[in-house]
Amino acid sequence: MAHVFQIDPNTKKNWVSTSKHAVTVSYFYDSTRNVYRIISLDGSKAIINSTITPNMTFTKTSQKFGQWADSRANTVYGLGFSSEHHLSKFAEKFQEFKEAARLAKEKSQEKMELTSTPSQESAGGDIQSPLTPESINGTDDERLMPEVMQNSEPRAEPTQNALTFTHSSTISKHWEAELATLKGNNAKLTAALLESTANVKQWKQQLAAYQEEAERLHKRVTELECVSSQANAVHTHKTELNQTIQELESMLKKKEEEIERLKQEIDSARELQVQRDSLTQKLQEVEIRNKDLEGQLSDLEQRLEKSQNEQEAFRNNLKTLLEILDGKIFELTELRDNLAKLIECS
């Protein structure tokens, strides 16, 4: 995760932030063109899509900031990491993929040389080559621009005053991730709750049917006891009916336990909802704090600029005063010399 910056195309000196918060920066292999890329997405927008070439160089300009020039995109990318370890790890990966890009380019050139060997000759001795203009010159991604933006690589970095805002953005990102996780869990629990509610209704219907069946069986047992003359058969049938009733009662008990478990899950879902609301409130507080910090940072920058202007005006006034003082001293010296000459003459 890193904050992404891009050089200002107008000044070629100042950095312009292209990501609202820290985003994932990944290495990607494009198998269709046999090239390696650095990709970064901010939502659905691609803020980095840089093809790695053998002549690229990743430069560490500070302990947590690095940059590289992309001559194809005619720009310079900058990454601000949260620690020096992350910066070093990214730089090592950059060097690995740069070497892989060099090997891929050499392998592609070898294939081009093999395909450029004469394959067949005509009757008159003319040699036919299978090469096309595209294979000779290379694809757009394989052709490298001759010049690298050496003079356009800035050494400017985000100021120290922006560290507080970066830290707050990290906290905000953490709470956003927590909130997204809770939203996902809440959606799952809501779906499970709806499904469980439907199951509870079905189980209640089944329970009512089982109770009706049990009453019907009890009535049947009574009828059989009164009507049947075969006591043993009636007793056996009664035993079977009693077993069926016991099974139904056991099933009913399990359903009641299941209903109790679902009630507990509903309570848990409500607790998660309360936690989600609390995290939402904390996130809003962090956003308000971020706005306050941005206002303070802007005020400090204005005060700093005003102080610098006042110092510059004071220097100019002091310089003018010194020049006037030098002139007066020079005039007094001349006056003294003239007085001395007059005294000597008299």
Side-chain angles (χ1 to χ4, degrees):
M1 303 290 286
H3 289 270
V4 180
F5 298 88
Q6 196 169 348
I7 200 68
D8 190 343
N10 297 323
T11 63
K12 297 294 184 181
K13 292 181 180 180
N14 300 325
W15 288 110
V16 178
S17 178
T18 57
S19 62
K20 298 179 181 178
H21 46 74
V23 295
T24 302
V25 182
S26 306
Y27 290 96
F28 172 73
Y29 175 65
D30 189 351
S31 58
T32 58
R33 302 195 177 196
N34 194 25
V35 294
Y36 293 88
R37 300 180 186 273
I38 300 176
I39 303 293
S40 180
L41 300 177
D42 188 4
S44 60
K45 178 184 177 183
I47 55 178
I48 297 180
N49 186 6
S50 177
T51 302
I52 301 176
T53 59
N55 61 339
M56 274 188 178
T57 302
F58 183 80
T59 306
K60 298 179 182 179
T61 58
S62 69
Q63 293 182 348
K64 299 180 181 180
F65 195 85
Q67 65 185 44
W68 77 93
D70 189 341
S71 57
R72 298 185 180 186
N74 193 27
T75 187
V76 180
Y77 293 103
L79 297 177
F81 293 88
S82 59
S83 65
E84 184 178 1
H85 171 71
H86 292 158
L87 174 61
S88 301
K89 189 175 180 181
F90 182 87
E92 292 174 359
K93 289 291 183 181
F94 189 96
Q95 191 64 27
E96 292 178 7
F97 283 97
K98 175 183 174 181
E99 181 66 18
R102 183 185 66 80
L103 295 175
K105 181 184 176 184
E106 291 178 355
K107 189 177 296 184
S108 177
Q109 289 178 349
E110 290 177 0
K111 289 182 179 180
M112 290 170 59
E113 291 175 358
L114 291 175
T115 55
S116 63
T117 305
S119 59
Q120 54 180 326
E121 296 182 358
S122 62
D126 295 334
I127 300 175
Q128 297 180 350
S129 173
L131 291 178
T132 63
E134 182 179 354
S135 63
I136 293 173
N137 298 324
T139 61
D140 292 337
D141 286 332
E142 292 170 346
R143 289 196 295 271
L144 302 177
M145 294 183 65
E147 295 180 2
V148 181
M149 299 164 54
Q150 297 177 353
N151 297 327
S152 64
E153 290 187 6
R155 299 301 178 190
E157 304 172 14
T159 61
Q160 187 68 25
N161 292 333
L163 290 177
T164 306
F165 177 70
T166 304
H167 180 66
S168 299
S169 298
T170 305
I171 296 174
S172 177
K173 178 64 179 177
H174 171 71
W175 287 118
E176 286 178 359
E178 291 289 338
L179 181 59
T181 303
L182 284 174
K183 284 182 177 178
N185 293 336
N186 187 42
K188 293 179 181 178
L189 287 173
T190 303
L193 179 59
L194 294 174
E195 183 180 359
S196 301
T197 303
N199 291 335
V200 166
K201 292 181 180 178
Q202 183 180 0
W203 292 335
K204 286 182 178 179
Q205 293 175 356
Q206 292 179 356
L207 178 60
Y210 292 152
Q211 289 176 346
E212 292 177 358
E213 181 69 16
E215 291 177 0
R216 188 184 67 80
L217 291 174
H218 278 297
K219 291 179 180 179
R220 182 61 178 168
V221 169
T222 305
E223 291 176 358
L224 289 174
E225 288 178 347
C226 295
V227 175
S228 177
S229 59
Q230 298 178 354
N232 294 331
V234 171
H235 180 72
T236 303
H237 190 57
K238 181 180 177 180
T239 303
E240 293 176 355
L241 290 175
N242 289 332
Q243 290 178 355
T244 304
I245 291 171
Q246 290 177 358
E247 291 175 358
L248 290 173
E249 290 176 350
S250 176
M251 187 178 297
L252 177 62
K253 185 177 180 181
K254 290 181 180 179
K255 295 298 181 182
E256 290 176 349
E257 293 175 354
E258 185 70 17
I259 291 172
E260 187 66 25
R261 185 183 65 82
L262 290 173
K263 288 181 179 179
Q264 293 177 358
E265 289 182 357
I266 292 172
D267 294 337
S268 177
R270 289 175 180 172
E271 292 177 358
L272 287 174
Q273 180 68 25
V274 173
Q275 292 179 2
R276 189 190 67 138
D277 295 340
S278 175
L279 287 174
T280 303
Q281 184 179 1
K282 290 181 180 179
L283 180 60
Q284 292 176 352
E285 293 175 356
V286 170
E287 289 177 350
I288 294 172
R289 178 61 178 168
N290 284 342
K291 291 180 180 178
D292 293 339
L293 290 175
E294 288 177 357
Q296 293 177 7
L297 179 61
S298 177
D299 183 51
L300 287 174
E301 289 177 350
Q302 292 177 357
R303 290 169 60 187
L304 177 61
E305 184 178 359
K306 182 178 179 181
S307 176
Q308 290 176 348
N309 293 334
E310 291 177 351
Q311 290 180 0
E312 185 66 24
F314 178 75
R315 289 195 191 97
N316 293 333
N317 293 334
L318 185 62
K319 184 177 180 180
T320 304
L321 182 62
L322 288 174
E323 291 176 354
I324 294 172
L325 184 61
D326 289 341
K328 296 296 182 181
I329 292 173
F330 180 75
E331 291 176 359
L332 288 174
T333 303
E334 287 184 349
L335 179 63
R336 177 182 171 280
D337 293 339
N338 292 332
L339 289 174
K341 289 179 181 181
L342 290 174
I343 292 172
E344 289 176 359
C345 292
S346 61

